[in-house]
Amino acid sequence: KKKPLTGKKAGLLCTSPVSEHSDMEGIIMPYHKAIDYLGWENIGEILISSMDKPGELQQTAGPEQARALADQL
């Protein structure tokens, strides 16, 4: 039996090498349009900028934020 897509939850995790969150609009806007269309609940967004070298993410609150977001799913 096919399950409906409504009633689901979604979260956005995004890193970018640029320093401005506004440069992530190309990802944020389609994400919002998709979850609105599907009727999903947005449980949060984690946007981390200035990530241009391997391992930098581990030096931020990003991994802990991602764990907290995943716990809401």
Side-chain angles (χ1 to χ4, degrees):
K1 187 173 182 180
K2 198 172 186 181
K3 292 184 178 181
L5 291 177
T6 59
K8 306 286 184 183
K9 296 180 181 181
L12 176 65
L13 306 172
C14 181
T15 62
S16 173
V18 296
S19 61
E20 298 296 322
H21 285 314
S22 62
D23 288 335
M24 295 185 209
E25 287 298 315
I27 293 172
I28 298 168
M29 294 300 292
Y31 166 74
H32 281 279
K33 287 185 179 287
I35 62 171
D36 287 345
Y37 175 78
L38 294 169
W40 293 2
E41 176 188 350
N42 179 20
I43 60 166
E45 299 167 23
I46 300 171
L47 308 172
I48 304 173
S49 56
S50 301
M51 296 286 106
D52 60 353
K53 294 185 181 91
E56 283 184 326
L57 181 62
Q58 300 305 319
Q59 306 305 315
T60 72
E64 183 59 36
Q65 291 172 339
R67 280 188 283 281
L69 193 66
D71 286 344
Q72 296 180 52
L73 293 175

